[in-house]
Amino acid sequence: MLQRVRRTVVVAAALATVAAGAAIGGVTSAQAAASGCRVSYTLGSQWGGGFTADVAVTNLGDPLTGWTLRWSFAAGQVVTQAWNAVTTQSGSAVTAVNAGWNANLATNGTTTFGFNGSWNNSGNPVPASFTLNGVVCTGATTPGPTASPSTSPTSQPPTSTPPERTVRAYWLRPTDVAYDQRYVDGIANVMREAQSYYRQELGKTFTLNNPVVEVVNGDHPRSWYENTPNGNECYWWVVFNMQQELLRKLSLRAPDSRWVNVGEISAEASCSGGGGGGGWVILSGHDADGAAGVNGPMNRWYGGMVHELGHAFGLPDSTSTDGTPMSASFYSYPNTHFSQAQKQAILNGPYGSFLS
């Protein structure tokens, strides 16, 4: 049984993004997002067992509406307190997510944050590399390829069967929606972020297929997916129409014991929603827009994917806002954590063997 995202949340988001979705449908060509970044990491004061560091992040690519910076320490350092960013750490891996006020980062814009940390009094080397929203910061810019209005480089079903016990993600592109590399890259980055979060929380995580996102050219225009009844209420029409097309074209099943499947479509009516369950996540246009970076801060879309994958792995919604991503606390990502009971339910559930 598919669990829905909390209905009031989904409907509000859908109503707020109808205009953005309509604009996408009218695009005839697009330039995919350019990416690139530069990071300056400066050690400040240092004392026995402790130190401070300042980090300056410069976005060299297209404007960002939310950012996540990642790095790994090489000598056992631990972040103990941060300001101007929200940090989490798992082992040596550190994640810093924008604060609410500095989420927007223009082209050539710079934001700064700092933190206190602990060290071993022996070595405190600067991290070797950083990634910004999944892109390695080299100090150079990588332009995105010019988009095509009707074709995409990965628009056909895979010629060989992907490995089983992996997570497959799909972007279904209606016939009147232009191919846009931002959606492919954005959904892939959201999937990688969720993959990292699950490892942080469970000590294990899922494997993503290669390519991370399979682009599927739809058989119908946006309006068909939005207005063709499928299910007992219009909340499900778009995502059920997408799912049935994916089932047919890619020989998938629902539920599917071979893969966990994540489908996103660039179509949305005012009543459209999404959900997850039985090894599936099915999401409509506002989630695809969010992944592409054109619909608000990224931490919401990261948290939303963690939430829906929880349903796909067998978790129900929490009964209250309890600090776990199975409640509305997913909006506070990354400051949300699975309970011990939820962790055990995932690991012992029908898709627990997918995690390693």
Side-chain angles (χ1 to χ4, degrees):
M1 178 69 178
L2 284 167
Q3 301 279 337
R4 69 178 66 192
V5 183
R6 281 173 168 74
R7 187 180 181 90
T8 54
V9 171
V10 172
V11 171
L15 290 173
T17 58
V18 168
I24 292 169
V27 172
T28 57
S29 64
Q31 181 69 29
S35 59
C37 45
R38 181 173 61 248
V39 174
S40 171
Y41 179 103
T42 305
L43 286 173
S45 58
Q46 185 168 283
W47 60 95
F51 70 98
T52 65
D54 296 304
V55 184
V57 183
T58 301
N59 172 37
L60 303 177
D62 287 354
L64 301 176
T65 56
W67 54 266
T68 297
L69 188 74
R70 293 183 180 278
W71 71 89
S72 292
F73 285 126
Q77 301 101 314
V78 176
V79 175
T80 57
Q81 180 187 22
W83 49 93
N84 298 339
V86 178
T87 61
T88 56
Q89 184 166 351
S90 178
S92 63
V94 181
T95 300
V97 177
N98 60 267
W101 59 268
N102 63 356
N104 294 330
L105 198 52
T107 301
N108 295 320
T110 297
T111 190
T112 60
F113 66 94
F115 63 89
N116 294 327
S118 63
W119 66 300
N120 60 13
N121 295 319
S122 176
N124 191 4
V126 172
S129 65
F130 298 84
T131 64
L132 181 66
N133 288 5
V135 175
V136 177
C137 295
T138 64
T141 305
T142 301
T146 301
S148 162
S150 60
T151 61
S152 65
T154 56
S155 62
Q156 299 301 319
T159 56
S160 59
T161 302
E164 294 189 3
R165 298 181 183 275
T166 57
V167 174
R168 297 175 68 178
Y170 318 97
W171 175 44
L172 193 146
R173 186 181 64 82
T175 55
D176 55 351
V177 171
Y179 178 79
D180 191 329
Q181 188 68 30
R182 290 179 300 173
Y183 285 77
V184 180
D185 294 342
I187 294 170
N189 285 337
V190 169
M191 298 307 301
R192 293 188 185 103
E193 181 74 20
Q195 184 185 46
S196 176
Y197 178 88
Y198 272 75
R199 182 173 297 284
Q200 169 189 303
E201 293 289 302
L202 303 175
K204 297 181 176 181
T205 196
F206 50 86
T207 299
L208 292 166
N209 273 304
N210 185 18
V212 176
V213 177
E214 299 168 48
V215 181
V216 180
N217 289 334
D219 292 339
H220 309 281
R222 288 170 56 105
S223 60
W224 184 90
Y225 297 98
E226 295 165 351
N227 300 319
T228 301
N230 192 341
N232 59 1
E233 54 182 316
C234 65
Y235 182 96
W236 296 112
W237 292 358
V238 166
V239 291
F240 279 176
N241 285 327
M242 169 189 65
Q243 185 186 39
Q244 289 186 353
E245 190 167 330
L246 293 174
L247 291 170
R248 174 174 55 82
K249 287 189 169 183
L250 300 177
S251 300
L252 304 175
R253 305 167 189 161
D256 200 322
S257 61
R258 300 163 298 171
W259 305 289
V260 169
N261 298 289
V262 177
E264 301 202 28
I265 182 173
S266 289
E268 174 148 359
S270 61
C271 57
S272 297
W280 274 88
V281 173
I282 47 178
L283 300 171
S284 54
H286 64 277
D287 287 273
D289 291 345
V294 296
N295 191 11
M298 287 304 300
N299 61 316
R300 173 200 170 154
W301 309 109
Y302 294 150
M305 183 57 70
V306 165
H307 174 95
E308 296 302 347
L309 282 169
H311 286 321
F313 287 125
L315 296 182
D317 274 321
S318 295
T319 57
S320 62
T321 303
D322 58 3
T324 77
M326 301 317 297
S327 73
S329 297
F330 78 79
Y331 282 97
S332 299
Y333 182 93
N335 294 326
T336 180
H337 303 281
F338 286 124
S339 68
Q340 191 59 40
Q342 288 170 338
K343 293 177 184 178
Q344 290 302 314
I346 292 173
L347 294 172
N348 297 330
Y351 297 94
S353 61
F354 282 45
L355 306 176
S356 62

